[in-house]
Each structure stands twice: as C-alpha cells, then as structure tokens.
Amino acid sequence: MFFPSSQPVLRVVGITKRFPGVLALDDVSLELYPGEIHSLLGENGSGKSTLAKIMAGIYVPDRGSIEVSGRSFRFLDPVKAVSYGIVYIPQSPSLVERLTVAENILIALRSYGILSSMGRVKEAVARRAREMGIGIDPEAEVGKLSYTQKQIVELLKASLLDAKVLLLDEVTTYLPRPLREAFYGYLRLLRSEGRTILLITHKVFEAIEVADRITVMRSGRIVGTVERSEFDADLVRGLMFGSSASLNHVDYLPEGEPPRGPTVERRPVILLDDVWAVGETGGHALRGVSVEVNPGEILGVVGISGNGQRELAEVLVGLRPVERGRYYLDGIDVTNKGAKAIRASGVGFVPEAPLYYSLSGDLSLMENLALAEQGGGPVLSLRPLAARVRELIEKYGIAAASPRTQAKVLSGGNVMRFTIARELESAKKALVALNPTRSLDERFALSFVKALRRSSRLSGLSVVYISESLDEVLRVSDRVAVINSGRIVGVYSREAAERETLEKLMVM
Amino acid sequence: MRELLEWFVQILAPAYVVYTLAATGSAVVERCGVLNLAIDGLFVLSSSLAYTYAVLFSALLQGGAPATWLSLLLTAATVALLYSLYTTLSTVLPVSQGAIGLSFMFIGYGLGAVVGNIGRIAFGLRGVRVAYLGAGHGSAASAYLSTILAVTAVYLLLYKLKLGVMIRAVGEDPRLASQVGVSVTGTRLLTGLLGGALVGLGGALFTLWRVGGWSQGQGLNHGWLAYAISIAGWRHPPLVALVSLFFSTAYVLLPHLQRLGLPIEASTAAPYVTSIAIMVVVSSIRGRSRLLADPKSLGRAFFREEQV
Amino acid sequence: MVRVSLVVTKRYRERMITSTPAILTVSLVLGLVVSYLAIWATVGLEPASFFATFYQTLASYSGLLEPFLFLTLLGAAISVAFYGSYWNVGAEGQYVLGMLGAMYLVMFSPLSGTLLEGDRASAAVVKLAAVILGGLLGALWSVIPGFFKAFVRVNEVPVLLLMNYVAYCLSDYLTGGPWKGRYTYGYIRTDMIPEAARLTVVPGLEILRYEVAVAAAAVLAGVYLVLERTRLGLRIKVLGTNPVALRSLGYDDRTVILTVAALSGFIAGLAGALRLLGYDYRLPYNIGDGKTGFYGYTAILVAWLSFRDVRLLVPSAVIVSALNSFGYRMQLSLKGLLPPGVSAHAFSQIFIGITLAVYTIARVARDHSVRLVIER
C-alpha cells in the first residue's frame, strides 16, 4: 500500500483542455506526493503529455485548477512553474542548438542569478557530470551533439535543477538500455532526496520497473491508479487499451501484397542512390542514403527525431539540394531538379504540420487547392475550383463550411484531411509523408493510414512514410527502413521486422 | 603624422563614439530577437531630448557642465524606457514587429522635433556641448577608452553572464527558452533597457559632442548608419567596435568628397550607399560560427500557446 | 499578493471586417488627439482653432481630390507589397524616380523633340512613354532592395528608407546639374515641361486630371484582379502569409519577392510620373524638404489601414487624404506661430506613428482573445 506521508506537492483538479477539434483532457484530477516516482501511462494521444504541459505552465487549461505548495492557480506559466519547483523535460530535447551545454543548463537554473558568471556554472556542470560518470564537454555546442548526447545533457540538467517535481515526458524512450538503467538509478536517488518524479511513458514494463504508483490515461481521461503492491502487467495493459485494444493491434489492416505485373520489368518509382545532403546546422544530415520504392509499395522510414528524416523528406520532394548521389523518379534523373519539377512529375507531400509546411492558413481552401495545381493559365477559374473543393469536402469528409473558408478556421484534423485529400488527388506516382499523424487523434490517424494503404493498393501509388513512431510504421508499411545519423541502417520486410531489432538499430 | 593624430582626436572621436555606442545598443536589442526598426526614430529623439534636457538644466542650474552630464544620463534613461516599451510590446502581443518598429520610428521622428522645438522655443537656440568633451587630447582619449570599456562590458554581459545567455537564448528560440523557465518578456524588457540606454547615449552625444547644437531633423538617418554598423559587426560587440572604426571614418570622410570635385549630392548620398553596400556584403557571407550567426527568431512574433 | 497576467489566445473565425471601422476610428482619433497635444505643447494652440481647421478641411472636399488620387495610387503600390510581406517603405523614393523618368522623357530624351511639333497623337504617345518609363524606374528602385532581400536576406526596411534619401540626392543632383533650368528666375530648379506634355485638365474641376483619375481606377481594379483572380496574386498572398508553403509547393519564393517588389515600385513610379506631368511640371531643388508632400510615407498609412483588403483602399485613402489636407492647413495656420526652422511635418509623423501603433495593437485584440487575469 502507498501511504501518503504528507500533503500532495502538486495537485490538479478537474482539468479540461480542448484543442481545435480534439478534447485532449476531460475533467482530469491527479495528486503527486513528495518522494514518489509516479508513472503516467497511456498510449500516444491519450492526453498525458498535455496534462504534463499544463502542470508545467506551457498550456493554459480551459477549466480546472492547479494546486502547488498549498496555493491554487487557474493556470501557471513556465516561469511560475519553475519558481515552484516544477520542471518539465520533453522527449525531444528542449535545448537551444546554438548555445553550449553549460549555457543551456545555466538558463534553466533558477538558483543562479541573472548576473552570475558562466565560469561558476561550467564548474558545477563538470562536477555533476563526473559524479554521474558522464563524459561531456560543458563548452560543446549543443547543435553539434547527437540525439543521445542531447538526452544526456537533459538528464544532467534535470539533476542539477533544484526541482521538487520533475515531469519527464517520454525521456527514456530512445535511450540505450545501459544508460536507461543508470537513469533509473538516478531517479531513485532523486526520490530519496524527497523529490517527486512524474514519469510519462507508454511502456508498461518501464512503469512497472521504476514507479511507486501508476496512473493510466486513456482518451483524455484517467482510468485508474495502481499502487506498487498491486502491479500487474496485464491489469495495467487492460486499463491502458480498454476496449480499443483490438483496434490497435498490428494486423487490423487489410492484408495483401503490392500488385506485381508478371511480365513488366520491375523498375522502382523512387530510387535514391548514395544521397548526401547538408542539414540546417551545416553538417551532413544525410550520409549516403540509398532506398528504392516500388509501385504500390509503402516504405516506412523510422528513426529517432533529428536523424535525417526531415532532410530525407525534403530531398524527396525537392526542397533540399543533394550534394552527392542521384535521385531517380521512374528512371528519370531528377537530382537537384527542384520542387517544381518533382511535383510536376507526380510526387505529393503530406508534412507533419500542413499549416506550417504546405498551406496558407489565411487563404481559402479554394486558393490552397489552386496553389497545388500544376499548370493552368495565369487566370484562376473560380467556379471549377469551388466545385473541386466541394468534391473533396464530400469525398474525404472534411468539416468545412464552404470552399471559401479560410484554412486556419478548420480544426487540426480537418486541416490534415484537406491536405491529404489535396495531395492524394494530385500525386500520380508517389507520396512522401513526414510524421503525418502527429497532429491527428488516434481515430483519424487510423483512417488516414487505411486510405494510404487503399491508394497504394488500388492505384499503385508508392509511398515513403517517415515517422518517429515505430508502432505506426509497423502498422502501415510493406517494408521498414531504419534511419540513424543520416544513414539507412537496415531494411526489413514487414514480416521479418522484429520490434527489438528495429529499436536497437534506432538507438545504435 | 601629427596631423593624422590630430584628426583622430578632433574629428573622428565624436563620430566613432556615437556610432559605436548606438550600433552596440542595436546589436544587443537584435540579439534578443527584436528587429530594431525603431532605431532611427529613437536616435533622432535621443539627439533632441539631449538638447532640451541640456538647455533646461543649464537654465535651472545656471551652469553648463553638470547640466550636460545630467542631460546625457537622463536621455539614456528616457530612451532606455522607450526601448523597453518597444521590446516588451512586441513580445507580450503577437504583433508584427515590423509594424510596431515603424510606428516607433515615426513617433520618434515627430516627438524628437516636438521635444527639441519645446527646448528651443523656451530657452532659445544655443550651443550645448558636454563640458569635459572639448577639443583636448585627453578628453578624446578618455572618450575612446570609455567607449571601449562600455563595449567590453556589454560583451562580458552578453557572453559571460547568465543574463547574456538568456538574451541569446530568447533571440534564438523564445518558446524553448520560456519552457525552461526564462521569462521572455522580462529578458526582452531588460535588453530593451540596456540597448536603449546605449542608443540613447549615442544619440545624446551626437548632439552634445558631435554637433553641439540642435536643429529640427537632426540625427535623421544616422540611426540607420549605426544599424548598418551593427549588422556589419554581426551583432557581436567587439566586432562592432572594430568595424565601426572603419565605417565611422568613412562616414566622416565621405561628405568631404566634394572637395575632390564630386557633386555635393553624391557626397551626401555616399554614406547611405556605403551602409547599404556593407549590409549586403556582410549578410551574404554564409556559414558563420554560432556567435556571429543571425538570431534565429529575429523579427518573428512570439506566441506562447501554439498547437501545430 | 495579487498577480496580473495577460493571456493571449488565438481566435479562429471566418474572415471578418465588421469591427474594422471601430478599430479605424479608435486609432485615428487617438492619432489626432496625440498630435494635437504635440502641437499644443509646442505652440499652445487652442483646441477651438484646431477643430475649426479640421472642420474647414472636411467642408472643402474638392480640395481632397488631388491628394486622394495620389494617396490611392501610392497606397495601392504599398498595399500590393504588404500582401507579399515586402515592407515597401520606399514608395517615396520610387515616386521620385517616377518623376525623374517622366522628366527625362519629355525634356531630355530623343522623343522630347516630337512634343514641339504640336501633333496631339504623338504627344499622347510621348506622355504614355513618360509614364511607363517613370513606372519602370520606380520598379528598378524597388527591385534593388527586393533583390537583396531575396538573395542575400538583408532586411528591406533600412535599405528602402536609405534609398529614399539616395533618390532625393539623385534628383537634386540632376536638378542642380545637368537638368538645371535656364528660365527659373534665379531659383535652382528645372524648366517647366512643355504644354504638350502636360496632362489634361478636366473642365469645371480644375484640380482633376483625366489621366490621373483613369490611372487610379485602373490600378485599383488591376491590383484587385491580380490579387484575387490570378495565380500570380495567389503566389503573392502565399508569400505574405506562408513563404515555407510557397517553397514546398515548388515555387521559387525569390522570383515572387522580385515580382512583388517590381509591381509595387512600378505603381509608385507611375504615380510620380503622373504627378510631374499633371501637377508639378518641374523638379525643385531640395526635393526632400517636403516638396513631395511626403506622400510616399503618408501612403504607408493608407495601405496599413486597409490591410489585406484591396476594397478598403478607397475609404482608407479618403480618410488619410482628408487628414493630410488637414495637416497641410494646420501647417499653413501654424506658419505664423512657429519660429523659423520649425516644420509642422513633425505633427504628421506623430499622427502616422500613433495611428499605426494603435491600429496594429487593436487588430491583435480582434484576432486574439486577450484576457486580463487577476489572481490573489
């Protein structure tokens, strides 16, 4: 049994948060006590991250209150949250790329006044790194570190923060096993110092291994809290998936092989041959990528964020110049031919944030459709355009008032539907998808994935599906490629793809 | 040789000090991610404020020396406050930094004329000059020295103290900085105070040392010249101070080109053309180190709650 | 302890212009009040005489026609640029370049000779050529900063502003040098352009020129059609709202920047040429001394107040030209009060600045819900 030894250090009461089109949190209440490791367990999209961000003052809840140190707030802001000792650490490192390790840690340390010198913190960082047995240069520029090194910096930062409550949002997901063990050890050390740790994870075994209590979330609600003495993997899993467990099973999708013409010579639609490309920070983001995608095939590309996925997508749609190597579309060399030429030859793009990448929120759906059309005269013919948008609205079930509706008025899910509709209609040969389901709720994510499978089966569309979610990639792909540090480190057919093997390759 | 030295002391010193201070101020402001389109207006305002403060205090105190020093300080303080209003306003509301910057520019021009004219109508047109900063070698040398010291102080603050790290973090990625507990508004407010004080000092010295008097429209475009220097120095204080030496010399010499037979209009336009040219040349250099690169969030509206 | 915090959240709504008049009124009134205060602080003018002048301005609406037409043209020029997020604060310089182009063509080019032959058709051709050359020079003056923005990523605002002064210098150089007139009563300025090159005065409405009215209407219609009905306009609007999308859909944003800069500069240059041929007839020396009426700056306000809606350009130009004439009248009535060396232009600048700032902030309030939360 867990006996609360004192007052809760942090309590949220009746939190509700709605994003355009999604009810992310529905009347959620939770108490955290000093000196416990509390695991918040749930699937992707169950609302656990949103809850943590509200605790950290990053989001403002629509309803409910946050009680900390005996005081109640309608909402916090990040500065206030940190001043009450609530520290949030996200999955993707929240480090400023152009600052050094020590500088990044310094700005997060509230025990240092604004006039304290860099020298002091450098020493402190070096000392704590030695204590933890981590070899890292406090003066290294963060942008030049690898993902794993960045996560280690986050751990270092967390350990240096004088925090009462640490909100760890999936931070261990992609850490190599040995480091993860060391990290759990450190969490226990922090707990023994009386601190509270909220470990947000979707891994049942992890929660069971380290937590004192597990709270399970599903579709924006808390469905149960289990104490250490009652831990049981099946019980917890049951809570986590509920009745939708079967829906999320890998083999719910229609089976079937890509259509193969018996007599036609196979020629890949997309062929990258030893492609090198430079990334944002100047180094090579792609280091000799070779992939091929056949007609009607979905190639999943999985990897930890920041390993070249974005750059791969950008090369495929012609947004990023190729430094070395060749890119063939249907056997035609399109290396560095630019986005216009590649689009014109029938390649569509579904990016993670369409309002950032490929739509203009201030313009109407009609205008956004016209923008993607190839050819056509200099003058827009409004009537046919409106008719085509109406068609798409109907066919893809987009909730939009009219073709003249501004894109930004739509909910996140409907923006994505519109983008998918537009791209599926215009992509004749291939589609590149980059983290397409990130802004979608689970249900629409599934229906999108189904639509993709259908298109690839029926019309022979080739798809490159790039995602950080291994589950999703396994669900959608015919073949899975793992990208790591700008290289494709392994390609497996779906049948041969072992989760364990892929995870190892991702963090290698 | 002696003449050259003389020239350095007499002619270049005021220009160098003015442009270096204002350019360093602008560099600091832009390092925190706020596009400094307000600079020219607020420079004009500084130079007018300095005049009116100076004549006001010399009437009140019946003496020139303390009045000009007081004017210098008060101008810096006033402009620091206005700048912090500018940086704060363009942070707390997701407004277009360009529009707010241009508004401040126009208000600065207009208010500058009003403030200067008030001083001029109330106290008459008279010469104002910082008493100590006369023609002597000692004063010019110490002016150079204090400018270098000020730039060094700003450099240390920006790169060796936590506040400076906060400023650069906010200029790179305000959302991320706020997530780790840095107050974006607070940091930009402080940056506005610091950068504004420097621009204010530059504008004040323009009146109190370089010109020594006031007329309407004084200082117009000199803010842009300082802005160009801050860009040319990649917004890195010591580098700004270094390139400022070169460009202050150019700005001082170019208007004298007419002696070589060039039309007066060409020599008037020459500093503007030079400024444009250096901004273009310097900005076209790619692959700069992290300390010299453009702040990533420069000019972008900061909106805290954003779902993509 | 009481904590006050400002919470800004985005409001998603259909495009609406309903509250625009309210925002417009608030910003204009505040602009007027603050600039009155500035005048009062400088010369202690009574409110009564301030408002009397204001009333007189509104009463003589025919006098508004000329500033209205030019502010419409320049406002349209700047507005096009704003659509593409090209902050064309250089319309003033482009306007001057337009004057220079027209001046060159009717006075100093090989074509100028045909004007003396008295043939109306060929005079019309020369005038048209002058206007087009003015537009082209304006476009050139705008494309230079546009090029730097597109290819070197230099912010266009300082470059455009500095180039305004370079344009003044260029004009002064020509006026005081190669183009210096012979029949100027000792003034430094150019000679008047020949009668045949001047635009047509509308009988009964001496302030109006046919060509200017036609050009203003054509430019407004053209700008509207380009923005709302063509693919080019679409690209301009995407450039202004989401340049990343423009690139990812396969368009070269740099060409669009150059196009928008050229289009905007062309209209501004056109306005300058029309001004010279229709009203000024000659170039004065020290043109930067307010001899352009600073229309290129004032028109920023016209464009800004009609932001992202071409249809609002006309009402906004009406309002701004009324205020501009008011400012001009104030200047005249202040002339006796202001000591020498003091220009009343400062009050217009304060007006522009305050109105711009209030309008910008008020628009945020419209598109976002701004809640003031007070906690104990």
Side-chain angles (χ1 to χ4, degrees):
Chain A
M1 278 301 279
F2 176 77
F3 296 106
S5 53
S6 58
Q7 289 298 305
V9 56
L10 178 70
R11 180 156 83 172
V12 292
V13 184
I15 297 283
T16 298
K17 174 75 182 172
R18 182 180 289 279
F19 289 122
V22 197
L23 183 61
L25 290 176
D26 184 7
D27 192 23
V28 169
S29 302
L30 184 67
E31 290 178 348
L32 300 176
Y33 290 92
E36 69 164 330
I37 299 180
H38 192 132
S39 181
L40 191 58
L41 187 66
E43 278 188 280
N44 290 334
S46 58
K48 48 193 198 311
S49 234
T50 309
L51 181 61
K53 283 180 179 161
I54 283 173
M55 290 174 171
I58 295 166
Y59 288 153
V60 178
D62 298 334
R63 262 205 308 273
S65 65
I66 303 152
E67 288 167 26
V68 53
S69 306
R71 296 188 46 193
S72 176
F73 298 95
R74 289 234 343 255
F75 63 90
L76 293 170
D77 61 64
V79 177
K80 210 194 294 179
V82 171
S83 77
Y84 280 100
I86 304 167
V87 174
Y88 174 77
I89 301 170
Q91 177 183 6
S92 52
S94 61
L95 301 168
V96 180
E97 301 261 298
R98 286 220 196 100
L99 298 186
T100 66
V101 171
E103 286 175 336
N104 265 292
I105 291 175
L106 178 61
I107 56 171
L109 293 180
R110 66 197 177 92
S111 53
Y112 287 71
I114 58 170
L115 294 180
S116 39
S117 79
M118 276 306 302
R120 252 182 75 206
V121 78
K122 257 182 244 164
E123 272 169 39
V125 170
R127 196 166 49 234
R128 184 57 67 101
R130 267 199 309 277
E131 283 168 19
M132 288 175 73
I134 291 168
I136 207 147
D137 177 11
E139 300 210 47
E141 183 180 345
V142 164
K144 294 192 171 135
L145 300 180
S146 72
Y147 173 81
T148 313
Q149 282 174 311
K150 283 182 200 164
Q151 279 295 22
I152 293 170
V153 172
E154 284 283 12
L155 301 190
L156 197 59
K157 186 169 90 182
S159 76
L160 273 161
L161 282 167
D162 188 21
K164 284 197 198 112
V165 182
L166 283 132
L167 311 170
L168 309 183
D169 195 350
E170 306 266 13
V171 291
T172 58
T173 308
Y174 296 122
L175 284 186
R177 188 76 201 167
L179 251 157
R180 209 187 286 163
E181 292 295 341
F183 179 63
Y184 293 156
Y186 205 76
L187 291 187
R188 293 188 185 107
L189 180 77
L190 289 170
R191 177 183 57 184
S192 71
E193 291 167 6
R195 300 178 213 272
T196 306
I197 289 134
L198 185 68
L199 185 69
I200 296 156
T201 181
H202 64 268
K203 287 181 177 164
V204 177
F205 73 87
E206 179 171 272
I208 287 179
E209 190 173 343
V210 282
D212 299 314
R213 289 200 293 162
I214 299 174
T215 293
V216 182
M217 287 192 77
R218 193 172 70 227
S219 326
R221 291 211 186 90
I222 287 183
V223 289
T225 298
V226 189
E227 318 240 318
R228 179 144 203 104
S229 56
E230 300 158 2
F231 279 3
D232 174 74
D234 287 334
L235 169 76
V236 172
R237 198 171 288 123
L239 281 172
M240 195 171 154
F241 293 110
S243 58
S244 71
S246 58
L247 191 72
N248 286 279
H249 202 255
V250 170
D251 59 16
Y252 76 95
L253 286 165
E255 286 297 317
E257 281 302 294
R260 282 172 202 279
T263 52
V264 184
E265 196 200 339
R266 303 294 307 159
R267 192 158 66 174
V269 176
I270 287 176
L271 176 63
L272 290 185
D273 181 18
D274 190 33
V275 163
W276 291 66
V278 175
E280 273 333 308
T281 44
H284 282 108
L286 296 182
R287 313 156 78 83
V289 169
S290 300
V291 289
E292 44 177 276
V293 190
N294 295 315
E297 185 187 45
I298 300 181
L299 175 73
V301 178
V302 69
I304 294 155
S305 103
N307 271 288
Q309 291 97 317
R310 176 176 304 245
E311 289 81 1
L312 176 61
E314 287 174 353
V315 162
L316 286 171
V317 297
L319 283 176
R320 186 168 289 276
V322 172
E323 194 190 66
R324 183 136 63 82
R326 312 298 322 164
Y327 172 16
Y328 300 94
L329 259 179
D330 249 356
I332 298 160
D333 190 345
V334 292
T335 318
N336 291 332
K337 286 279 153 61
K340 199 180 179 74
I342 289 174
R343 224 188 141 74
S345 46
V347 177
F349 183 32
V350 177
E352 54 189 343
L355 281 178
Y356 173 76
Y357 255 114
S358 67
L359 298 182
S360 169
D362 293 296
L363 299 187
S364 68
L365 296 181
M366 277 163 74
E367 290 173 311
N368 272 303
L369 178 67
L371 199 62
E373 281 178 345
Q374 294 300 318
V379 177
L380 293 173
S381 25
L382 299 183
R383 214 163 295 179
L385 260 179
R388 294 212 31 223
V389 173
R390 268 190 219 101
E391 242 170 68
L392 293 183
I393 287 178
E394 193 151 323
K395 188 166 165 194
Y396 290 84
I398 303 163
S402 89
R404 291 183 182 275
T405 306
Q406 278 175 289
K408 70 177 176 192
V409 179
L410 266 51
S411 72
N414 281 307
V415 166
M416 201 51 166
R417 270 170 222 242
F418 175 74
T419 311
I420 289 163
R422 185 181 80 176
E423 298 301 308
L424 277 180
E425 294 291 314
S426 64
K428 296 283 171 280
K429 279 197 192 109
L431 190 77
V432 177
L434 174 64
N435 298 323
T437 56
R438 204 179 240 185
S439 57
L440 296 180
D441 60 84
E442 204 78 345
R443 215 155 41 92
F444 186 66
L446 281 178
S447 70
F448 165 55
V449 163
K450 279 182 187 163
L452 259 191
R453 298 271 299 196
R454 206 177 310 121
S455 289
S456 77
R457 290 294 171 273
L458 297 180
S459 55
L461 188 73
S462 303
V463 178
V464 180
Y465 193 97
I466 305 170
S467 172
E468 287 155 24
S469 160
L470 186 52
D471 294 316
E472 199 175 279
V473 166
L474 284 172
R475 198 180 284 161
V476 69
S477 316
D478 299 311
R479 284 188 302 140
V480 179
V482 180
I483 188 166
N484 189 337
S485 313
R487 289 195 185 88
I488 299 292
V489 290
V491 184
Y492 299 86
S493 74
R494 184 147 63 110
E495 299 76 36
E498 295 269 335
R499 238 199 114 88
E500 201 82 347
T501 322
L502 298 176
E503 276 184 358
K504 269 187 203 138
L505 285 171
M506 284 161 73
V507 300
M508 189 176 62
Chain B
M1 189 61 212
R2 202 182 152 68
E3 271 166 35
L4 191 69
L5 191 73
E6 199 68 16
W7 185 82
F8 245 94
V9 171
Q10 305 284 10
I11 311 293
L12 184 62
Y16 178 73
V17 169
V18 164
Y19 293 128
T20 308
L21 290 176
T24 308
S26 179
V28 173
V29 168
E30 294 212 315
R31 274 278 161 227
C32 80
V34 176
L35 191 62
N36 192 11
L37 295 188
I39 186 167
D40 203 45
L42 292 182
F43 187 89
V44 168
L45 179 59
S46 312
S47 84
S48 309
L49 272 174
Y51 173 75
T52 298
Y53 280 140
V55 289
L56 174 71
F57 288 117
S58 67
L60 286 178
L61 305 173
Q62 308 192 334
T68 45
W69 285 108
L70 207 53
S71 153
L72 204 58
L73 287 177
L74 274 177
T75 305
T78 315
V79 176
L81 285 176
L82 279 171
Y83 248 105
S84 66
L85 179 68
Y86 169 49
T87 53
T88 314
L89 208 56
S90 44
T91 307
V92 290
L93 297 173
V95 291
S96 147
Q97 284 190 12
I100 291 289
L102 282 180
S103 316
F104 269 73
M105 182 189 85
F106 280 117
I107 296 170
Y109 287 156
L111 215 56
V114 169
V115 163
N117 278 320
I118 289 175
R120 179 181 146 172
I121 291 166
F123 302 99
L125 203 54
R126 55 168 94 178
V128 284
R129 209 174 269 278
V130 174
Y132 178 69
L133 295 173
H137 294 186
S139 61
S142 51
Y144 274 118
L145 196 66
S146 351
T147 304
I148 299 299
L149 282 177
V151 171
T152 313
V154 172
Y155 166 74
L156 291 176
L157 180 130
L158 212 48
Y159 294 99
K160 301 292 174 200
L161 296 187
K162 182 176 178 183
L163 180 60
V165 181
M166 285 158 63
I167 291 173
R168 285 181 291 130
V170 164
E172 281 295 315
D173 194 335
R175 278 219 303 156
L176 223 154
S178 79
Q179 273 173 26
V180 300
V182 174
S183 158
V184 178
T185 314
T187 307
R188 287 197 174 155
L189 189 139
L190 286 178
T191 317
L193 285 176
L194 175 67
L198 287 165
V199 173
L201 275 181
L205 284 169
F206 187 77
T207 293
L208 297 178
W209 191 13
R210 198 167 169 205
V211 180
W214 187 83
S215 60
Q216 187 169 336
Q218 176 166 308
L220 192 74
N221 285 333
H222 290 272
W224 290 125
L225 300 187
Y227 180 85
I229 293 177
S230 85
I231 303 280
W234 281 322
R235 305 182 188 86
H236 188 277
L239 212 53
V240 166
L242 197 68
V243 299
S244 175
L245 195 62
F246 177 65
F247 288 104
S248 305
T249 310
Y251 293 155
V252 170
L253 285 183
L254 285 172
H256 294 286
L257 278 180
Q258 71 183 110
R259 288 194 203 149
L260 302 177
L262 244 78
I264 181 166
E265 294 83 7
S267 47
T268 311
Y272 309 149
V273 177
T274 314
S275 299
I276 295 173
I278 53 171
M279 282 194 278
V280 169
V281 169
V282 163
S283 304
S284 62
I285 299 173
R286 302 253 183 266
R288 287 174 247 159
S289 84
R290 67 183 190 93
L291 297 182
L292 302 179
D294 296 338
K296 221 168 73 190
S297 76
L298 185 66
R300 294 198 195 144
F302 168 60
F303 193 63
R304 208 177 77 199
E305 185 174 358
E306 224 164 346
Q307 252 294 70
V308 286
Chain C
M1 197 180 84
V2 179
R3 280 190 66 110
V4 181
S5 32
L6 208 60
V7 180
V8 184
T9 40
K10 227 171 226 166
R11 234 182 246 175
Y12 292 94
R13 268 193 285 178
E14 296 282 332
R15 187 184 298 216
M16 51 173 285
I17 51 173
T18 46
S19 60
T20 304
I23 294 174
L24 209 59
T25 314
V26 169
S27 23
L28 292 170
V29 166
L30 271 173
L32 273 179
V33 167
V34 175
S35 40
Y36 167 69
L37 287 177
I39 298 176
W40 176 79
T42 318
V43 290
L45 183 78
E46 292 299 317
S49 96
F50 184 78
F51 288 108
T53 315
F54 190 57
Y55 177 74
Q56 283 165 14
T57 311
L58 297 185
S60 69
Y61 52 88
S62 75
L64 302 184
L65 208 51
E66 172 260 312
F68 164 75
L69 288 171
F70 284 97
L71 287 174
T72 303
L73 280 166
L74 289 166
I78 297 170
S79 197
V80 172
F82 280 4
Y83 266 91
S85 283
Y86 179 68
W87 302 104
N88 190 2
V89 291
E92 177 81 1
Q94 294 143 22
Y95 182 63
V96 170
L97 262 285
M99 294 184 175
L100 297 184
M103 189 62 163
Y104 168 77
L105 209 114
V106 300
M107 294 280 276
F108 306 101
S109 76
L111 278 180
S112 62
T114 54
L115 286 171
L116 302 173
E117 291 160 15
D119 170 9
R120 283 191 60 180
S122 62
V125 171
V126 173
K127 278 189 264 189
L128 188 65
V131 170
I132 289 173
L133 182 66
L136 289 177
L137 283 182
L140 172 76
W141 212 243
S142 170
V143 158
I144 296 170
F147 180 83
F148 295 151
K149 179 192 170 103
F151 289 90
V152 198
R153 277 184 267 167
V154 174
N155 190 295
E156 70 275 25
V157 170
V159 181
L160 282 160
L161 283 169
L162 287 169
M163 282 186 65
N164 289 342
Y165 294 94
V166 178
Y168 290 155
C169 289
L170 181 62
S171 171
D172 284 349
Y173 164 70
L174 292 170
T175 309
W179 291 1
K180 194 170 169 190
R182 268 170 291 175
Y183 317 101
T184 58
Y185 309 99
Y187 289 100
I188 307 179
R189 60 189 185 201
T190 64
D191 285 326
M192 302 271 260
I193 58 170
E195 294 276 352
R198 298 182 192 176
L199 302 183
T200 325
V201 178
V202 179
L205 199 55
E206 262 67 38
I207 194 73
L208 190 62
R209 306 286 178 274
Y210 272 130
E211 294 87 340
V212 179
V214 169
V219 162
L220 273 182
V223 163
Y224 180 81
L225 288 176
V226 164
L227 287 171
E228 299 300 325
R229 295 284 184 274
T230 67
R231 280 179 205 279
L232 172 66
L234 193 55
R235 291 200 281 270
I236 291 174
K237 287 193 283 187
V238 180
L239 175 69
T241 51
N242 189 355
V244 178
L246 193 66
R247 280 193 291 277
S248 81
L249 289 172
Y251 300 100
D252 184 0
D253 56 335
R254 294 171 302 186
T255 359
V256 186
I257 293 175
L258 288 182
T259 315
V260 93
L263 192 58
S264 174
F266 184 85
I267 301 173
L270 188 94
L274 290 170
R275 177 83 207 178
L276 186 94
L277 300 184
Y279 294 87
D280 291 356
Y281 305 140
R282 64 179 163 220
L283 286 169
Y285 194 69
N286 276 339
I287 194 169
D289 250 7
K291 287 163 189 153
T292 55
F294 295 122
Y295 280 179
Y297 293 113
T298 312
I300 295 173
L301 204 52
V302 176
W304 195 258
L305 297 181
S306 70
F307 204 69
R308 296 217 194 287
D309 195 338
V310 179
R311 290 165 296 176
L312 288 180
L313 267 177
V314 173
S316 137
V318 168
I319 293 168
V320 176
S321 58
L323 291 164
N324 186 72
S325 308
F326 167 55
Y328 185 66
R329 274 166 186 269
M330 278 310 299
Q331 217 158 321
L332 289 183
S333 66
L334 286 176
K335 213 153 210 173
L337 297 167
L338 294 176
V342 178
S343 140
H345 180 49
F347 308 122
S348 323
Q349 285 174 325
I350 291 183
F351 173 75
I352 294 179
I354 296 282
T355 309
L356 208 64
V358 175
Y359 188 73
T360 309
I361 293 167
R363 277 180 58 96
V364 171
R366 195 193 66 174
D367 296 337
H368 298 78
S369 80
V370 181
R371 286 180 290 159
L372 195 67
V373 178
I374 300 171
E375 282 181 290
R376 281 175 204 286

